[in-house]
Amino acid sequence: MKMKIFSRPTFLITLHLIYLITIPRVYSSLPLPLYAPELFLECLDAQPADPGSRNSRAAVIPTDSSFSTNLMRAVRNLRFASASTRKPEAIVAAVTETHIRATISCCKHLNLELKVRSGGHDYEGFSYTSPVPFVILDMYNFDKVDINLKDETAWIQSGASLGELYYNIAKTSKVHAFPAGVCPKVGAGGHFSGGGFGNLLRKYGLSIDHIIDAQIMDADGKVYRDRRSMGEDVFWAIRGGGGGSYGVILAWKLKLVRVPENVTVFKLERTVEEGVIDLVHKWQQVAPVIDKDLFIRLEIKPVYRRTTSKCKTKTINVSFIGMFLGSPERLLNIMNKRFPELYLREPDCMVKKWIDSVVFWAEYPENAPLEILLEKISVNESYWKRTSDFVQTPISKRGIAKIFQTMIYHSPLPRRVWMQWNPWGGRMAEIASDETPFPHRAGNVFMIEHFMNWYAPGNELEEAFLAISRSFKMAMTPFVSKNPREAFLNYRDVDIGITTPGYNATFEKAKVYGEKYFQGNYLRLFQVKARFDPTNFFRSQQGIPVLE
């Protein structure tokens, strides 16, 4: 029999692979060879595979023509798409659990960081970037949604989008919904593991308040098919504590909620010249305590106002965007009693099916087919920085005026800083702060999301706009929560603190962001992590660390 002769590169790859597989894994950084992507593919095919298939068929590496397409299809922030951004050694678009297990195994053997991407909406790009060598596990193909109206539940895989969830609910029922975000392209995996917030929160709370089961794969490739097998502490941790710190979330089981067959939405705009400072001040007193069926978001933006045919000046425009689980008649009755100053009238009210209200809130064309909710790939993405704040004491009229002046100062139109103010209260005030890792419950008046967008590349431009964003957020300090200044994990922000890449994160170092995201729940998350992922395989610059 003729002996098979290996080429030198293949021989070296095989030799290095055998070395890495057979030696005990250590946590010092092993030097990666220049052919690490090929080595990773070799490793994949050395793992157990599905019958008649090789694991590497699910992977692409930088030399593949489709690599850039696979990378960019879920890059939502172009800040992390520059030539200088480190690219992954490989992208594995898993189709089966076998692919996920093989990817985990090879990342362990080759000392590569694993990044799990469901929708790519991580605000700091943590699901598809890293300062150290890494691999992306893309959950794009794990997108099944199974609705069971008998017990009013749904199983949704982590790679499915919120739009796919909403579409499937609506195809099954006219009176069911799920409390989650208003952006249909957001992936379920990251959204739910960070908390999940949307326009039903005053009635029903967060997404995690209606997650009743889950499936997760750990760092050894073991799958836990339900909360009982993973343990209640792990199930608690992944609902709001960042599932990516513990394992690969495969699927979530949701308890659907009831909504009327018809809901009412509205959008009114007012400027400073139309008395909006008084309206915003009144909104703070009304929106968090009004009927639970009503959610009124504020969008606050600097705009130009034309004063003469040749002159224009900057002002602030505020949009009052409403979602009401009921009829216009009942809505108007509530508003006329509690917030007559807004002057909401019947022609302002739009009656829609719940699923059509999803299209409205997503700012899709009014007559767009519902299938638009199934689109997962975004176009016309921009460069941006977004952060969060919580307000626990209503802001005075003088304070509001100062904020508006500061916004105008920080807005070199057409670029601008702007905000969304989202009222709390209702169901959010009834759930204990330690019921889930998400602690920002009672005591908050509203949550702020800060925005800064720009539309051209360049390091100098990026630094200029980031400086504007940071300066404005600093100016907001007197008006928001303190000690700590709380933040929302779904609106991740590296400016509040990060840890050293790799295995060097400690409890104390991670506390700088851990207490802002989780407050008193941070310690329990740390303890769960130590038991479920003791080697800190699932790690990031804002992950939950293990013991020093």
Side-chain angles (χ1 to χ4, degrees), residues 42-76:
E42 291 273 347
C43 179
L44 285 180
D45 286 335
Q47 308 303 311
D50 296 312
S53 178
R54 291 183 293 123
N55 291 322
S56 62
R57 288 182 180 175
V60 293
I61 59 176
T63 54
D64 291 327
S65 60
S66 61
F67 179 82
S68 180
T69 300
N70 279 270
L71 177 63
M72 291 300 298
R73 72 181 175 190
V75 172
R76 311 297 184 183

PDB file of all heavy atoms in Angstrom, residues 42-76:
ATOM      1  N   GLU A  42      -8.939  22.871  10.000  1.00  0.00           N
ATOM      2  CA  GLU A  42      -8.469  21.507  10.247  1.00  0.00           C
ATOM      3  C   GLU A  42      -9.028  20.985  11.565  1.00  0.00           C
ATOM      4  O   GLU A  42      -9.438  19.829  11.668  1.00  0.00           O
ATOM      5  CB  GLU A  42      -6.941  21.494  10.274  1.00  0.00           C
ATOM      6  CG  GLU A  42      -6.267  21.743   8.942  1.00  0.00           C
ATOM      7  CD  GLU A  42      -6.077  20.470   8.150  1.00  0.00           C
ATOM      8  OE1 GLU A  42      -6.243  19.373   8.732  1.00  0.00           O
ATOM      9  OE2 GLU A  42      -5.764  20.569   6.952  1.00  0.00           O
ATOM     10  N   CYS A  43      -9.020  21.849  12.559  1.00  0.00           N
ATOM     11  CA  CYS A  43      -9.535  21.448  13.866  1.00  0.00           C
ATOM     12  C   CYS A  43     -11.021  21.112  13.791  1.00  0.00           C
ATOM     13  O   CYS A  43     -11.476  20.121  14.364  1.00  0.00           O
ATOM     14  CB  CYS A  43      -9.280  22.562  14.884  1.00  0.00           C
ATOM     15  SG  CYS A  43      -9.890  22.186  16.535  1.00  0.00           S
ATOM     16  N   LEU A  44     -11.798  21.956  13.086  1.00  0.00           N
ATOM     17  CA  LEU A  44     -13.229  21.684  12.951  1.00  0.00           C
ATOM     18  C   LEU A  44     -13.481  20.289  12.397  1.00  0.00           C
ATOM     19  O   LEU A  44     -14.361  19.559  12.870  1.00  0.00           O
ATOM     20  CB  LEU A  44     -13.882  22.724  12.039  1.00  0.00           C
ATOM     21  CG  LEU A  44     -14.119  24.124  12.577  1.00  0.00           C
ATOM     22  CD1 LEU A  44     -14.775  24.993  11.503  1.00  0.00           C
ATOM     23  CD2 LEU A  44     -14.997  24.106  13.828  1.00  0.00           C
ATOM     24  N   ASP A  45     -12.708  19.929  11.387  1.00  0.00           N
ATOM     25  CA  ASP A  45     -12.938  18.636  10.741  1.00  0.00           C
ATOM     26  C   ASP A  45     -12.367  17.473  11.541  1.00  0.00           C
ATOM     27  O   ASP A  45     -12.602  16.302  11.199  1.00  0.00           O
ATOM     28  CB  ASP A  45     -12.357  18.649   9.326  1.00  0.00           C
ATOM     29  CG  ASP A  45     -13.212  19.476   8.371  1.00  0.00           C
ATOM     30  OD1 ASP A  45     -14.415  19.617   8.646  1.00  0.00           O
ATOM     31  OD2 ASP A  45     -12.674  19.996   7.372  1.00  0.00           O
ATOM     32  N   ALA A  46     -11.625  17.795  12.607  1.00  0.00           N
ATOM     33  CA  ALA A  46     -11.149  16.742  13.500  1.00  0.00           C
ATOM     34  C   ALA A  46     -12.163  16.443  14.602  1.00  0.00           C
ATOM     35  O   ALA A  46     -12.007  15.482  15.356  1.00  0.00           O
ATOM     36  CB  ALA A  46      -9.816  17.149  14.128  1.00  0.00           C
ATOM     37  N   GLN A  47     -13.221  17.271  14.671  1.00  0.00           N
ATOM     38  CA  GLN A  47     -14.253  17.077  15.687  1.00  0.00           C
ATOM     39  C   GLN A  47     -15.373  16.188  15.148  1.00  0.00           C
ATOM     40  O   GLN A  47     -15.560  16.068  13.937  1.00  0.00           O
ATOM     41  CB  GLN A  47     -14.858  18.426  16.096  1.00  0.00           C
ATOM     42  CG  GLN A  47     -13.844  19.487  16.500  1.00  0.00           C
ATOM     43  CD  GLN A  47     -12.962  19.038  17.634  1.00  0.00           C
ATOM     44  OE1 GLN A  47     -13.451  18.538  18.650  1.00  0.00           O
ATOM     45  NE2 GLN A  47     -11.643  19.193  17.475  1.00  0.00           N
ATOM     46  N   PRO A  48     -16.144  15.564  16.038  1.00  0.00           N
ATOM     47  CA  PRO A  48     -17.313  14.786  15.587  1.00  0.00           C
ATOM     48  C   PRO A  48     -18.228  15.652  14.722  1.00  0.00           C
ATOM     49  O   PRO A  48     -18.454  16.830  15.027  1.00  0.00           O
ATOM     50  CB  PRO A  48     -17.994  14.383  16.895  1.00  0.00           C
ATOM     51  CG  PRO A  48     -16.890  14.381  17.911  1.00  0.00           C
ATOM     52  CD  PRO A  48     -15.967  15.494  17.511  1.00  0.00           C
ATOM     53  N   ALA A  49     -18.742  15.056  13.641  1.00  0.00           N
ATOM     54  CA  ALA A  49     -19.549  15.809  12.679  1.00  0.00           C
ATOM     55  C   ALA A  49     -20.885  15.129  12.458  1.00  0.00           C
ATOM     56  O   ALA A  49     -21.098  13.972  12.822  1.00  0.00           O
ATOM     57  CB  ALA A  49     -18.799  15.953  11.363  1.00  0.00           C
ATOM     58  N   ASP A  50     -21.811  15.861  11.839  1.00  0.00           N
ATOM     59  CA  ASP A  50     -23.088  15.280  11.444  1.00  0.00           C
ATOM     60  C   ASP A  50     -22.841  14.296  10.297  1.00  0.00           C
ATOM     61  O   ASP A  50     -21.914  14.483   9.488  1.00  0.00           O
ATOM     62  CB  ASP A  50     -24.050  16.382  10.994  1.00  0.00           C
ATOM     63  CG  ASP A  50     -24.393  17.334  12.115  1.00  0.00           C
ATOM     64  OD1 ASP A  50     -24.733  16.857  13.219  1.00  0.00           O
ATOM     65  OD2 ASP A  50     -24.303  18.565  11.901  1.00  0.00           O
ATOM     66  N   PRO A  51     -23.660  13.258  10.188  1.00  0.00           N
ATOM     67  CA  PRO A  51     -23.453  12.245   9.141  1.00  0.00           C
ATOM     68  C   PRO A  51     -23.372  12.867   7.744  1.00  0.00           C
ATOM     69  O   PRO A  51     -24.213  13.697   7.372  1.00  0.00           O
ATOM     70  CB  PRO A  51     -24.679  11.342   9.282  1.00  0.00           C
ATOM     71  CG  PRO A  51     -25.114  11.511  10.707  1.00  0.00           C
ATOM     72  CD  PRO A  51     -24.804  12.933  11.045  1.00  0.00           C
ATOM     73  N   GLY A  52     -22.362  12.498   6.995  1.00  0.00           N
ATOM     74  CA  GLY A  52     -22.234  12.926   5.602  1.00  0.00           C
ATOM     75  C   GLY A  52     -21.832  14.365   5.413  1.00  0.00           C
ATOM     76  O   GLY A  52     -21.984  14.917   4.317  1.00  0.00           O
ATOM     77  N   SER A  53     -21.309  15.015   6.458  1.00  0.00           N
ATOM     78  CA  SER A  53     -20.960  16.425   6.340  1.00  0.00           C
ATOM     79  C   SER A  53     -19.698  16.720   7.131  1.00  0.00           C
ATOM     80  O   SER A  53     -19.405  16.064   8.133  1.00  0.00           O
ATOM     81  CB  SER A  53     -22.110  17.300   6.857  1.00  0.00           C
ATOM     82  OG  SER A  53     -21.778  18.665   6.793  1.00  0.00           O
ATOM     83  N   ARG A  54     -18.948  17.726   6.673  1.00  0.00           N
ATOM     84  CA  ARG A  54     -17.780  18.187   7.406  1.00  0.00           C
ATOM     85  C   ARG A  54     -18.124  19.495   8.126  1.00  0.00           C
ATOM     86  O   ARG A  54     -18.793  20.360   7.565  1.00  0.00           O
ATOM     87  CB  ARG A  54     -16.596  18.408   6.447  1.00  0.00           C
ATOM     88  CG  ARG A  54     -16.041  17.104   5.862  1.00  0.00           C
ATOM     89  CD  ARG A  54     -14.823  17.359   4.988  1.00  0.00           C
ATOM     90  NE  ARG A  54     -15.182  18.104   3.767  1.00  0.00           N
ATOM     91  CZ  ARG A  54     -14.640  19.247   3.419  1.00  0.00           C
ATOM     92  NH1 ARG A  54     -13.721  19.811   4.184  1.00  0.00           N
ATOM     93  NH2 ARG A  54     -15.013  19.853   2.302  1.00  0.00           N
ATOM     94  N   ASN A  55     -17.646  19.644   9.325  1.00  0.00           N
ATOM     95  CA  ASN A  55     -17.933  20.855  10.098  1.00  0.00           C
ATOM     96  C   ASN A  55     -17.451  22.113   9.399  1.00  0.00           C
ATOM     97  O   ASN A  55     -18.073  23.180   9.504  1.00  0.00           O
ATOM     98  CB  ASN A  55     -17.287  20.762  11.484  1.00  0.00           C
ATOM     99  CG  ASN A  55     -17.940  19.711  12.373  1.00  0.00           C
ATOM    100  OD1 ASN A  55     -19.155  19.547  12.348  1.00  0.00           O
ATOM    101  ND2 ASN A  55     -17.128  19.013  13.154  1.00  0.00           N
ATOM    102  N   SER A  56     -16.352  22.004   8.662  1.00  0.00           N
ATOM    103  CA  SER A  56     -15.766  23.188   8.035  1.00  0.00           C
ATOM    104  C   SER A  56     -16.648  23.769   6.938  1.00  0.00           C
ATOM    105  O   SER A  56     -16.437  24.907   6.510  1.00  0.00           O
ATOM    106  CB  SER A  56     -14.381  22.856   7.467  1.00  0.00           C
ATOM    107  OG  SER A  56     -14.478  21.865   6.455  1.00  0.00           O
ATOM    108  N   ARG A  57     -17.630  23.024   6.473  1.00  0.00           N
ATOM    109  CA  ARG A  57     -18.539  23.556   5.448  1.00  0.00           C
ATOM    110  C   ARG A  57     -19.369  24.721   5.982  1.00  0.00           C
ATOM    111  O   ARG A  57     -19.889  25.530   5.195  1.00  0.00           O
ATOM    112  CB  ARG A  57     -19.473  22.450   4.948  1.00  0.00           C
ATOM    113  CG  ARG A  57     -18.773  21.401   4.068  1.00  0.00           C
ATOM    114  CD  ARG A  57     -19.761  20.381   3.567  1.00  0.00           C
ATOM    115  NE  ARG A  57     -19.100  19.384   2.722  1.00  0.00           N
ATOM    116  CZ  ARG A  57     -19.699  18.302   2.220  1.00  0.00           C
ATOM    117  NH1 ARG A  57     -20.993  18.093   2.479  1.00  0.00           N
ATOM    118  NH2 ARG A  57     -19.033  17.443   1.478  1.00  0.00           N
ATOM    119  N   ALA A  58     -19.491  24.812   7.293  1.00  0.00           N
ATOM    120  CA  ALA A  58     -20.256  25.913   7.892  1.00  0.00           C
ATOM    121  C   ALA A  58     -19.385  27.145   8.143  1.00  0.00           C
ATOM    122  O   ALA A  58     -19.881  28.162   8.626  1.00  0.00           O
ATOM    123  CB  ALA A  58     -20.882  25.452   9.201  1.00  0.00           C
ATOM    124  N   ALA A  59     -18.099  27.049   7.811  1.00  0.00           N
ATOM    125  CA  ALA A  59     -17.164  28.117   8.159  1.00  0.00           C
ATOM    126  C   ALA A  59     -16.593  28.804   6.929  1.00  0.00           C
ATOM    127  O   ALA A  59     -16.482  28.209   5.850  1.00  0.00           O
ATOM    128  CB  ALA A  59     -16.023  27.551   9.008  1.00  0.00           C
ATOM    129  N   VAL A  60     -16.236  30.067   7.087  1.00  0.00           N
ATOM    130  CA  VAL A  60     -15.472  30.810   6.076  1.00  0.00           C
ATOM    131  C   VAL A  60     -14.301  31.469   6.785  1.00  0.00           C
ATOM    132  O   VAL A  60     -14.371  31.810   7.971  1.00  0.00           O
ATOM    133  CB  VAL A  60     -16.322  31.878   5.354  1.00  0.00           C
ATOM    134  CG1 VAL A  60     -17.398  31.237   4.507  1.00  0.00           C
ATOM    135  CG2 VAL A  60     -16.934  32.863   6.349  1.00  0.00           C
ATOM    136  N   ILE A  61     -13.213  31.643   6.043  1.00  0.00           N
ATOM    137  CA  ILE A  61     -12.017  32.286   6.581  1.00  0.00           C
ATOM    138  C   ILE A  61     -11.654  33.461   5.675  1.00  0.00           C
ATOM    139  O   ILE A  61     -12.217  33.600   4.581  1.00  0.00           O
ATOM    140  CB  ILE A  61     -10.839  31.287   6.698  1.00  0.00           C
ATOM    141  CG1 ILE A  61     -10.491  30.690   5.333  1.00  0.00           C
ATOM    142  CG2 ILE A  61     -11.192  30.171   7.685  1.00  0.00           C
ATOM    143  CD1 ILE A  61      -9.263  29.768   5.360  1.00  0.00           C
ATOM    144  N   PRO A  62     -10.745  34.335   6.101  1.00  0.00           N
ATOM    145  CA  PRO A  62     -10.482  35.566   5.347  1.00  0.00           C
ATOM    146  C   PRO A  62     -10.106  35.390   3.884  1.00  0.00           C
ATOM    147  O   PRO A  62     -10.323  36.307   3.085  1.00  0.00           O
ATOM    148  CB  PRO A  62      -9.332  36.207   6.138  1.00  0.00           C
ATOM    149  CG  PRO A  62      -9.561  35.740   7.537  1.00  0.00           C
ATOM    150  CD  PRO A  62     -10.058  34.337   7.408  1.00  0.00           C
ATOM    151  N   THR A  63      -9.567  34.240   3.511  1.00  0.00           N
ATOM    152  CA  THR A  63      -9.204  34.035   2.110  1.00  0.00           C
ATOM    153  C   THR A  63     -10.381  33.614   1.238  1.00  0.00           C
ATOM    154  O   THR A  63     -10.258  33.563   0.015  1.00  0.00           O
ATOM    155  CB  THR A  63      -8.086  32.972   2.003  1.00  0.00           C
ATOM    156  OG1 THR A  63      -8.503  31.778   2.690  1.00  0.00           O
ATOM    157  CG2 THR A  63      -6.786  33.488   2.619  1.00  0.00           C
ATOM    158  N   ASP A  64     -11.525  33.341   1.851  1.00  0.00           N
ATOM    159  CA  ASP A  64     -12.715  32.962   1.077  1.00  0.00           C
ATOM    160  C   ASP A  64     -13.387  34.207   0.506  1.00  0.00           C
ATOM    161  O   ASP A  64     -13.469  35.245   1.175  1.00  0.00           O
ATOM    162  CB  ASP A  64     -13.718  32.206   1.961  1.00  0.00           C
ATOM    163  CG  ASP A  64     -13.230  30.829   2.365  1.00  0.00           C
ATOM    164  OD1 ASP A  64     -12.520  30.203   1.558  1.00  0.00           O
ATOM    165  OD2 ASP A  64     -13.547  30.391   3.489  1.00  0.00           O
ATOM    166  N   SER A  65     -13.897  34.091  -0.712  1.00  0.00           N
ATOM    167  CA  SER A  65     -14.519  35.245  -1.371  1.00  0.00           C
ATOM    168  C   SER A  65     -15.771  35.729  -0.646  1.00  0.00           C
ATOM    169  O   SER A  65     -16.142  36.901  -0.739  1.00  0.00           O
ATOM    170  CB  SER A  65     -14.871  34.884  -2.822  1.00  0.00           C
ATOM    171  OG  SER A  65     -15.777  33.786  -2.844  1.00  0.00           O
ATOM    172  N   SER A  66     -16.429  34.850   0.091  1.00  0.00           N
ATOM    173  CA  SER A  66     -17.669  35.225   0.789  1.00  0.00           C
ATOM    174  C   SER A  66     -17.429  35.717   2.208  1.00  0.00           C
ATOM    175  O   SER A  66     -18.380  36.023   2.931  1.00  0.00           O
ATOM    176  CB  SER A  66     -18.621  34.025   0.828  1.00  0.00           C
ATOM    177  OG  SER A  66     -18.035  32.935   1.529  1.00  0.00           O
ATOM    178  N   PHE A  67     -16.155  35.806   2.609  1.00  0.00           N
ATOM    179  CA  PHE A  67     -15.854  36.182   3.995  1.00  0.00           C
ATOM    180  C   PHE A  67     -16.397  37.563   4.335  1.00  0.00           C
ATOM    181  O   PHE A  67     -17.064  37.757   5.352  1.00  0.00           O
ATOM    182  CB  PHE A  67     -14.338  36.137   4.229  1.00  0.00           C
ATOM    183  CG  PHE A  67     -13.928  36.540   5.626  1.00  0.00           C
ATOM    184  CD1 PHE A  67     -13.991  35.620   6.665  1.00  0.00           C
ATOM    185  CD2 PHE A  67     -13.491  37.824   5.898  1.00  0.00           C
ATOM    186  CE1 PHE A  67     -13.624  35.993   7.956  1.00  0.00           C
ATOM    187  CE2 PHE A  67     -13.117  38.200   7.173  1.00  0.00           C
ATOM    188  CZ  PHE A  67     -13.180  37.280   8.209  1.00  0.00           C
ATOM    189  N   SER A  68     -16.134  38.541   3.497  1.00  0.00           N
ATOM    190  CA  SER A  68     -16.565  39.909   3.778  1.00  0.00           C
ATOM    191  C   SER A  68     -18.086  40.015   3.857  1.00  0.00           C
ATOM    192  O   SER A  68     -18.626  40.696   4.732  1.00  0.00           O
ATOM    193  CB  SER A  68     -16.030  40.870   2.706  1.00  0.00           C
ATOM    194  OG  SER A  68     -16.443  42.184   2.972  1.00  0.00           O
ATOM    195  N   THR A  69     -18.783  39.322   2.966  1.00  0.00           N
ATOM    196  CA  THR A  69     -20.252  39.335   2.980  1.00  0.00           C
ATOM    197  C   THR A  69     -20.781  38.753   4.278  1.00  0.00           C
ATOM    198  O   THR A  69     -21.697  39.308   4.898  1.00  0.00           O
ATOM    199  CB  THR A  69     -20.803  38.541   1.787  1.00  0.00           C
ATOM    200  OG1 THR A  69     -20.325  39.139   0.574  1.00  0.00           O
ATOM    201  CG2 THR A  69     -22.315  38.537   1.790  1.00  0.00           C
ATOM    202  N   ASN A  70     -20.188  37.630   4.708  1.00  0.00           N
ATOM    203  CA  ASN A  70     -20.629  36.998   5.948  1.00  0.00           C
ATOM    204  C   ASN A  70     -20.336  37.872   7.164  1.00  0.00           C
ATOM    205  O   ASN A  70     -21.125  37.914   8.114  1.00  0.00           O
ATOM    206  CB  ASN A  70     -19.950  35.633   6.111  1.00  0.00           C
ATOM    207  CG  ASN A  70     -20.623  34.538   5.322  1.00  0.00           C
ATOM    208  OD1 ASN A  70     -21.524  33.872   5.809  1.00  0.00           O
ATOM    209  ND2 ASN A  70     -20.204  34.355   4.079  1.00  0.00           N
ATOM    210  N   LEU A  71     -19.218  38.579   7.131  1.00  0.00           N
ATOM    211  CA  LEU A  71     -18.869  39.441   8.243  1.00  0.00           C
ATOM    212  C   LEU A  71     -19.793  40.653   8.322  1.00  0.00           C
ATOM    213  O   LEU A  71     -20.307  41.008   9.383  1.00  0.00           O
ATOM    214  CB  LEU A  71     -17.419  39.902   8.113  1.00  0.00           C
ATOM    215  CG  LEU A  71     -16.911  40.891   9.169  1.00  0.00           C
ATOM    216  CD1 LEU A  71     -16.950  40.246  10.559  1.00  0.00           C
ATOM    217  CD2 LEU A  71     -15.505  41.363   8.835  1.00  0.00           C
ATOM    218  N   MET A  72     -20.024  41.273   7.176  1.00  0.00           N
ATOM    219  CA  MET A  72     -20.716  42.567   7.151  1.00  0.00           C
ATOM    220  C   MET A  72     -22.232  42.459   7.237  1.00  0.00           C
ATOM    221  O   MET A  72     -22.900  43.455   7.517  1.00  0.00           O
ATOM    222  CB  MET A  72     -20.344  43.333   5.882  1.00  0.00           C
ATOM    223  CG  MET A  72     -18.901  43.809   5.855  1.00  0.00           C
ATOM    224  SD  MET A  72     -18.522  44.927   7.232  1.00  0.00           S
ATOM    225  CE  MET A  72     -19.647  46.280   6.877  1.00  0.00           C
ATOM    226  N   ARG A  73     -22.806  41.288   7.020  1.00  0.00           N
ATOM    227  CA  ARG A  73     -24.272  41.211   6.970  1.00  0.00           C
ATOM    228  C   ARG A  73     -24.919  41.529   8.322  1.00  0.00           C
ATOM    229  O   ARG A  73     -26.115  41.820   8.378  1.00  0.00           O
ATOM    230  CB  ARG A  73     -24.722  39.843   6.477  1.00  0.00           C
ATOM    231  CG  ARG A  73     -24.546  38.691   7.440  1.00  0.00           C
ATOM    232  CD  ARG A  73     -25.024  37.398   6.797  1.00  0.00           C
ATOM    233  NE  ARG A  73     -24.773  36.235   7.640  1.00  0.00           N
ATOM    234  CZ  ARG A  73     -24.923  34.991   7.235  1.00  0.00           C
ATOM    235  NH1 ARG A  73     -25.312  34.757   5.976  1.00  0.00           N
ATOM    236  NH2 ARG A  73     -24.692  33.989   8.041  1.00  0.00           N
ATOM    237  N   ALA A  74     -24.150  41.473   9.392  1.00  0.00           N
ATOM    238  CA  ALA A  74     -24.719  41.822  10.691  1.00  0.00           C
ATOM    239  C   ALA A  74     -23.829  42.816  11.429  1.00  0.00           C
ATOM    240  O   ALA A  74     -23.816  42.844  12.658  1.00  0.00           O
ATOM    241  CB  ALA A  74     -24.936  40.566  11.532  1.00  0.00           C
ATOM    242  N   VAL A  75     -23.093  43.636  10.684  1.00  0.00           N
ATOM    243  CA  VAL A  75     -22.358  44.737  11.303  1.00  0.00           C
ATOM    244  C   VAL A  75     -23.267  45.957  11.268  1.00  0.00           C
ATOM    245  O   VAL A  75     -23.502  46.543  10.216  1.00  0.00           O
ATOM    246  CB  VAL A  75     -21.034  45.021  10.565  1.00  0.00           C
ATOM    247  CG1 VAL A  75     -20.385  46.292  11.096  1.00  0.00           C
ATOM    248  CG2 VAL A  75     -20.075  43.841  10.724  1.00  0.00           C
ATOM    249  N   ARG A  76     -23.813  46.338  12.405  1.00  0.00           N
ATOM    250  CA  ARG A  76     -24.804  47.413  12.468  1.00  0.00           C
ATOM    251  C   ARG A  76     -24.170  48.784  12.704  1.00  0.00           C
ATOM    252  O   ARG A  76     -24.827  49.795  12.503  1.00  0.00           O
ATOM    253  CB  ARG A  76     -25.810  47.143  13.587  1.00  0.00           C
ATOM    254  CG  ARG A  76     -26.395  45.741  13.581  1.00  0.00           C
ATOM    255  CD  ARG A  76     -27.191  45.445  12.333  1.00  0.00           C
ATOM    256  NE  ARG A  76     -27.818  44.129  12.395  1.00  0.00           N
ATOM    257  CZ  ARG A  76     -28.523  43.577  11.428  1.00  0.00           C
ATOM    258  NH1 ARG A  76     -28.685  44.240  10.285  1.00  0.00           N
ATOM    259  NH2 ARG A  76     -29.055  42.377  11.566  1.00  0.00           N
TER     260      ARG A  76
END
